[in-house]
Amino acid sequence: MQSYGDVPVQQFNSLNLNPERVVCGPLLRYIGIDYGTRTYRGSCLLVSSDHIAPQLHVQLRNEQNETRAFSIPGEKLDSFRGQYHFWRYELRLPLEPTRQVVTYQSEAFGPQEFHLPAYNESMKFMFYSCSGFSDIPQETKDKFGEKEAPLWQDVLDRHKVAPFHVLLGGGDQLYQDKLIKEDFMKPWTDEKDPKKRLAMTLSTEMREGLEHFFFWNYVQCFGPKGSPVVAKAYATIPSVNMWDDHDIIDGYGSYPAEMQESNCFQVLFANACRFYYLFQHHTTIELAPYHGMIRGSLPTCNHIITSLGPDIGLLALDCRGERTKYDVCRPKSYEIVSAELRRAIPTSAKHLLIVTGVPLIYPRLSLFESAMEGAATFNLATIAGKTGALGSVISGSLNKWNGDPELLDDMNDHWTAGSHELERKKFIEQLQQFARERSVRVSFLGGDVHCCGAGRLYSKDMKDKEEGDPFLMVQIISSAIINVPPPQALLTILNQNSSYITFNGNVEEKMYNIFKKSPNGNTRQNKKLMGMRNYCAGYYDDKNGKMNFWIQAEKVVGQKGTMGYLIDVPKLIFGESGHKLATASTEQLLQEFVEMQRRYGQQQQHHHHRPHHGIPDPQGQQHHPHLQHLQHHVGGFFKQ
């Protein structure tokens, strides 16, 4: 049977998707909790040929088997060529003192279920990244179980036993890599003169091809026909997603400015944006701030700040929407995020999770960066003192978009790259200050690197007193849930290059030695990084205040079944805030937070001419020059 994994644009119609009523969905998204009204906010997305939105019928059932039911109308966000329509359903569900099961359905699809926590309960979450394959041979995809999606099956099995409340997508929720091989891209790929490439204005055929590709690639990767296991997860566990480069194209944002500003990249990015916000956030660039996102310095950059129950705060930093080769995020974005953290994270929160796509704490690649910047013909094997697989796999791999060594684009993407190191330091120092103010333990969640591991920042003189160290910050690295691991030789070099590093003053950073044994039971030499596919299950333990992260690594390639590795992160007890968190009840702290939010709302009404950072003036937004420029490059924006 033919796999759907590598179907090019011109063959999508042969998948029998077009005649169907529903091509994608239902997809669930989690937005946040209004603690004042005890209301859960989320959304459901349906992509269908219906010209009028099918009603969504919802039933809530609590632990006493009491039920309540209601129907929700849909709103049209956009249309794809007048044929398929994006229907969004706003979910505002009452929370209770006990857990609830939500059953929802419409005439377009059968019953689905997801789980709500109790009002004062924190959510069980699953973090993952790299949910797709790069442009690799089909035989490799078959070996890793492309059709079966074994790790996603493992997630669903775990969900049946101990339900997850939310999926945290850490980037590369799908891969657009095969775009470069599409027939409509031949004018770009066949043009060997770099200057002519950059000056090229895309033809109508190329522009329409890009729009067609991005829509149908999402349908294939998120829809029930192309990816039934993944689609089941997205229909039964609400998501909070943040994009990374492969949601656009490999390395996007880290290319030279003249390439990023070329007509090809502008049109490509406009289409990637349009469908990213539709499929992954159930919104549009214009509406994103009204649907729970925090606007950065550009309309294409939108961060997420929310809570996963009263004990856990979450920041998903948009590291692509305004990225350049020299900035991951712009200074204004950090100012906005810092202010919003203080406003939106409940004062009851004991832990703050930071999702960044690329890990903030990871072994340095600077050894290779300076050498590779110098010459595209650079041989990594010579520098590494290795031959064979490492040299051929890495040195010989050139980026298909600009011809640079592939690893160079990867290194430019890393926070520890020379061009980003100062920005990284300032960002961590901002979080250190927030940790001290709130007595909240900060932890990082990152993916991208196709291996798993954990690192930490810590105070040298507080190693035995971690609960009192505001500078202790743990990095969880979990990647990939579908894509294949990197060469073992590269992981060996990274392991050898991962001794402690002084961050500033009394604070050091280093990797944990957590992988003493492989999932099959064999003793390991590389205890810091493991090249096995994986995901991370997490929950807050209210008995001891710890955050438990379980890295679930694949036991046998291509088969369902994982082995768990625990990293438990202690709570922080620091200053007056720490004393208050330790002595006040969750209910008291939430009441205080609700009152703080009420006062803030009154201030906003009083100063209505100065809108909140995250919510733009609708009139002004329509005239934002960057947004107008983006729309100019996209065909098919839905107009009322």
Side-chain angles (χ1 to χ4, degrees), residues 123-326:
M123 298 183 184
K124 293 183 176 68
F125 60 87
M126 191 282 274
F127 172 82
Y128 70 97
S129 65
C130 306
S131 186
F133 287 108
S134 304
D135 186 17
I136 58 177
Q138 187 59 47
E139 62 189 56
T140 305
K141 297 179 183 179
D142 292 341
K143 174 186 172 184
F144 281 83
E146 179 184 30
K147 299 186 186 91
E148 297 80 11
L151 271 81
W152 276 109
Q153 287 189 31
D154 196 80
V155 169
L156 290 175
D157 286 352
R158 197 169 298 276
H159 179 58
K160 289 176 186 174
V161 178
F164 292 112
H165 299 108
V166 65
L167 298 174
L168 304 179
D172 301 342
Q173 278 72 252
L174 78 170
Y175 279 66
Q176 317 284 13
D177 293 27
K178 59 194 174 190
L179 165 64
I180 192 72
K181 290 187 173 180
E182 294 297 322
D183 286 346
F184 67 80
M185 287 300 296
K186 280 189 175 180
W188 173 274
T189 54
D190 289 349
E191 177 55 70
K192 303 307 178 188
D193 185 336
K195 291 183 179 178
K196 289 183 179 179
R197 265 190 182 186
L198 296 180
M200 183 184 297
T201 299
L202 298 197
S203 65
T204 300
E205 181 185 358
M206 294 177 75
R207 293 167 68 94
E208 289 181 352
L210 284 164
E211 181 193 36
H212 199 250
F213 175 88
F214 277 100
F215 175 82
W216 285 111
N217 198 34
Y218 265 106
V219 168
Q220 178 198 322
C221 295
F222 283 25
K225 190 145 196 170
S227 304
V229 181
V230 176
K232 182 66 176 177
Y234 290 166
T236 55
I237 313 172
S239 291
V240 176
N241 291 329
M242 184 50 67
W243 59 357
D244 204 20
D245 58 336
H246 290 277
D247 298 274
I248 311 165
I249 53 163
D250 185 18
Y252 183 86
S254 293
Y255 291 99
E258 60 268 22
M259 178 163 278
Q260 295 278 155
E261 292 165 5
S262 69
N263 184 249
C264 178
F265 269 49
Q266 293 285 310
V267 176
L268 184 154
F269 183 55
N271 281 281
C273 277
R274 177 190 177 194
F275 293 115
Y276 162 68
Y277 282 103
L278 287 167
F279 281 98
Q280 298 201 42
H281 297 291
H282 313 174
T283 191
T284 64
I285 293 174
E286 299 95 325
L287 294 174
Y290 301 98
H291 291 155
M293 304 188 81
I294 308 301
R295 183 76 90 215
S297 67
L298 293 175
T300 52
C301 176
N302 291 277
H303 313 284
I304 297 171
I305 296 177
T306 188
S307 66
L308 309 181
D311 303 298
I312 308 172
L314 174 70
L315 161 62
L317 192 71
D318 186 342
C319 299
R320 293 292 159 185
E322 58 188 22
R323 190 187 190 102
T324 69
K325 189 174 179 180
Y326 303 103

Side-chain angles (χ1 to χ4, degrees), residues 392-564:
S392 61
V393 170
I394 304 173
S395 302
S397 178
L398 299 181
N399 183 281
K400 296 179 181 66
W401 289 94
N402 66 352
D404 282 349
E406 191 72 65
L407 189 62
L408 179 58
D409 293 304
D410 292 340
M411 291 187 300
N412 285 336
D413 255 12
H414 275 255
W415 286 93
T416 51
S419 56
H420 301 316
E421 202 149 23
L422 180 60
E423 180 181 356
R424 171 186 182 265
K425 186 171 184 289
K426 288 181 177 179
F427 180 44
I428 291 174
E429 287 174 344
Q430 282 186 2
L431 294 171
Q432 288 176 337
Q433 180 61 31
F434 186 72
R436 289 165 62 93
E437 286 176 19
R438 286 286 196 95
S439 187
V440 64
R441 175 68 66 208
V442 175
S443 298
F444 303 112
L445 293 168
D448 179 73
V449 291
H450 299 183
C451 63
C452 51
R456 72 189 187 278
L457 292 155
Y458 61 94
S459 299
K460 289 185 285 186
D461 58 358
M462 296 283 285
K463 290 180 183 178
D464 299 323
K465 304 172 185 176
E466 289 187 334
E467 279 198 356
D469 181 8
F471 300 138
L472 174 68
M473 298 180 177
V474 172
Q475 170 78 66
I476 302 298
I477 301 164
S478 181
S479 168
I481 195 168
I482 287 183
N483 213 343
V484 301
Q488 186 56 47
L490 177 59
L491 293 178
T492 299
I493 292 173
L494 291 172
N495 183 62
Q496 294 168 352
N497 198 37
S498 61
S499 59
Y500 79 87
I501 293 170
T502 299
F503 177 75
N504 63 4
N506 188 43
V507 179
E508 290 180 344
E509 57 181 281
K510 66 188 298 186
M511 301 297 291
Y512 283 105
N513 291 305
I514 57 174
F515 302 116
K516 297 177 174 60
K517 288 188 180 293
S518 294
N520 62 11
N522 293 341
T523 302
R524 292 178 52 81
Q525 295 297 315
N526 184 347
K527 299 178 176 63
K528 296 173 182 174
L529 297 171
M530 186 165 69
M532 301 293 288
R533 298 193 297 177
N534 63 92
Y535 63 89
C536 177
Y539 68 93
Y540 172 73
D541 188 335
D542 57 8
K543 294 182 176 63
N544 56 27
K546 289 184 177 182
M547 181 68 73
N548 294 312
F549 298 100
W550 284 93
I551 295 176
Q552 299 293 139
E554 187 174 35
K555 287 183 179 179
V556 180
V557 170
Q559 296 182 27
K560 185 172 65 173
T562 59
M563 169 81 173

Side-chain angles (χ1 to χ4, degrees), residues 27-93:
L27 306 173
L28 294 175
R29 178 184 175 226
Y30 168 68
I31 297 175
I33 295 173
D34 184 329
Y35 291 97
T37 60
R38 302 195 174 198
T39 302
Y40 173 105
R41 187 184 180 202
S43 61
C44 177
L45 183 77
L46 188 67
V47 186
S48 75
S49 59
D50 294 280
H51 289 280
I52 298 174
Q55 286 273 310
L56 189 70
H57 306 293
V58 179
Q59 182 189 75
L60 280 72
R61 186 179 74 253
N62 64 19
E63 292 179 345
Q64 289 75 44
N65 271 329
E66 299 168 334
T67 63
R68 65 177 96 180
F70 46 90
S71 296
I72 300 173
E75 60 172 324
K76 187 186 284 189
L77 293 173
D78 199 344
S79 292
F80 175 70
R81 300 186 175 180
Q83 187 174 10
Y84 293 108
H85 310 287
F86 290 82
W87 298 110
R88 180 185 187 275
Y89 300 86
E90 175 84 6
L91 301 176
R92 292 183 182 265
L93 308 175

